[in-house]
Amino acid sequence: MRLVRLIANLGYGSRKEVAMMFREGRITDPAGDVLYADDKREHADIRVDGEPLDPGAGLRLLLNKPVGVTCSTKDVGRIVHDMLPERFRLRNPTLSTVGRLDRDTSGLLLLTDDGALLHRIIAPKSRIAKVYEAVLAEDLRGDESAVFASGSLMLESEKTPLLPAGLEVLGPRHARLTLHEGRYHQVRRMFAAVGNHVVSLRRLSVGGLGLGELAEGDWRILDDRDLEAVFTGAETA
Ligand code: URA
């Protein structure tokens, strides 16, 4: 791929702007020698303003999403792209969230520009475990674990019952829920179905991948081992 297109696809600017960056001598090799637009170089051997290029297509990110941020790309409020470097918004292929978390849900959110990977994670048959921690408005009644594990709980306006879900009671109004599917507002609707209300919700893990030390609002690039962890325990997708 020509260098102008390669760098423009990473969101550093339009092709015209990137061509200008070449003319300004801002694109160099690792030794600091200026590169020209029609030079041929490997991705790893290009610097912009002395910095290595962002990773190319196939980018996978883990974000610890704060409350109040939406997964939409166009929202009037704060969006997940506001948590990432400005140029990530302009990448081609586009960086998308892997599924969604509600605006009021915090925690583990994956993003990728790899459509096949995205599909593999969210495909219903992958059955990847997603673990949520919920704080509730009312004390748990005691029958929620059985109701959620039954495989027969039917949410309003759904045509099929929910898959069995695991509930771990952490306190009178505090629980950890493990789901193997991802329906719209699923956790909030499940607790509503047992007469409760979710006050706060946080996703702790997707498959075997957790947030680790990642602080709220922070993100990091995932490597192949992280990806393997996502699929730990998943069924074939
Ligand atoms: N379930 C919900 O209700 N909200 C989320 O954001 C994720 C799962």
Side-chain angles (χ1 to χ4, degrees), residues 100-102 105 132 185-189 201:
R100 287 180 172 227
L101 290 178
D102 302 337
T105 303
Y132 295 87
H185 290 332
Q186 184 168 344
V187 176
R188 294 174 203 277
R189 289 163 75 210
L201 186 60

Side-chain angles (χ1 to χ4, degrees), residues 56-108:
L59 184 61
R60 300 141 334 182
L61 303 180
L62 167 61
L63 171 71
N64 186 349
K65 181 183 117 36
V67 163
V69 174
T70 57
C71 287
S72 149
T73 47
K74 315 176 197 70
D75 198 88
V76 279
R78 281 204 305 164
I79 60 174
V80 287
H81 271 287
D82 295 335
M83 313 271 99
L84 305 172
E86 184 76 32
R87 62 179 174 266
F88 281 13
R89 196 187 297 244
L90 304 172
R91 285 173 65 101
N92 178 21
T94 309
L95 193 56
S96 310
T97 65
V98 179
R100 287 180 172 227
L101 290 178
D102 302 337
R103 187 173 175 278
D104 293 330
T105 303
S106 62
L108 192 154

